[in-house]
Structure formats: structure tokens, C-alpha cells
Amino acid sequence: DTFTTINRFNSGLVHAKEGISADKGINLGTGITFPDSTHQTTAPTRVVGAGFDGSGSAISASSIVHVPIEQSGTIKSATLVGDTGGDITITIARFDPTSGTTGLGGSTGVGTIALTNDIILRDTTLSGWTAAVYEGDLLSFTTSGITNVTRVTCKIKIDLD
């Protein structure tokens, strides 16, 4: 059997026959579990990161970029992309500064991602990382161990709370 109904906001139709589809979308809370037991999350995500450019020379060690975190969440992956095969390590730390202060205060280590004679690395296991970040935090991305890499971008994906 097939049925059609107009939702309570009269902004879209729901049709059902061996499944459900929606013209305007369906809110499913934390995700969808499929018959084969795979799961697709519906959690909103944000990607934040930092880029470093050595202007044609190897990037300087101890270069730092600070990135504000606007919403609390959990880091789910990190990706590092260089311009050429080489070595570089990015260390990420979390600061919880008070607005209006002149210093960042103490930091908490988040994690490290490194290229070793590669151009790209995506880490989804984040072994040893402290993955929680909070609204108002600053993440610092700091470079070290650089050989040959003149440009690099580090991005982290955060599932929002």
C-alpha cells in the first residue's frame, strides 16, 4: 500500500511504499541504521584548520596558527596535506582563554598528525588524542620536524554536540 500525507507545516510531502522519502528532509535525531547494520550519523559537523606557507622555502619550525572554536564537539578526524613529499608534524593544543585577557594561559594537548615523506594523511583513529573541544576554546596548530614541505594545510572535523 502507498500513502501520502502533508506534514503539519504543509511544506512537503511524505510518501511511503517500502521506505520513506521527503522533499524537504527528515530529522532523524542521531542517525539512520540500515538493514545491514551500518549507521549514518546525522550529527552536524564543522571543519576547522590552519594553513602554513613558507613562500617557496621550507616552512619555519614553531610556526603557530590559532583558530577559535565556536561550538562544543568531538574531533572525529584530522587531515594533513602538503605541497610535496616531505616531513612535517603539526601539534594541536587547546586553550580556554577568557575574553579580554592579554595571554592564552595554559594549554591542554589535543593531538599530533605528521607526514613522513608523504603528501597527504587522513587520520580517523586519533590514537592518543584528547578529542573534546568546547565553545570559546582556541586551538593552536604548531609546526615542527619539517623537511622539504613549503605549504601545508591541516584540517580537523568536529561532530558538534
Side-chain angles (χ1 to χ4, degrees):
D1 290 359
T2 302
F3 72 87
T4 301
T5 185
I6 297 176
N7 70 24
R8 66 186 177 123
F9 299 108
N10 202 20
S11 61
L13 296 177
V14 176
H15 313 283
K17 182 173 185 176
E18 297 183 33
I20 297 174
S21 66
D23 299 329
K24 298 283 184 174
I26 300 172
N27 183 349
L28 298 170
T30 62
I32 304 166
T33 301
F34 297 99
D36 66 355
S37 298
T38 58
H39 183 77
Q40 175 65 49
T41 183
T42 57
T45 62
R46 293 286 184 272
V47 175
V48 299
F52 298 88
D53 188 339
S55 299
S57 299
I59 296 167
S60 298
S62 301
S63 296
I64 300 172
V65 172
H66 293 102
V67 177
I69 299 299
E70 301 297 333
Q71 292 177 279
S72 298
T74 304
I75 299 171
K76 292 298 185 178
S77 66
T79 303
L80 191 56
V81 181
D83 63 336
T84 186
D87 302 337
I88 188 165
T89 298
I90 304 288
T91 301
I92 303 168
R94 181 177 65 83
F95 292 87
D96 181 16
T98 303
S99 183
T101 61
T102 58
L104 295 177
S107 67
T108 302
V110 172
T112 299
I113 186 168
L115 292 177
T116 305
N117 204 28
D118 289 322
I119 293 176
I120 187 168
L121 174 68
R122 183 160 191 262
D123 183 356
T124 57
T125 59
L126 305 175
S127 180
W129 283 53
T130 302
V133 293
Y134 304 96
E135 182 177 349
D137 285 350
L138 285 178
L139 293 184
S140 71
F141 295 75
T142 305
T143 62
S144 65
I146 303 142
T147 306
N148 297 330
V149 179
T150 62
R151 287 188 311 269
V152 72
T153 302
C154 182
K155 299 284 185 165
I156 60 171
K157 178 182 161 189
I158 302 169
D159 282 357
L160 303 178
D161 291 345

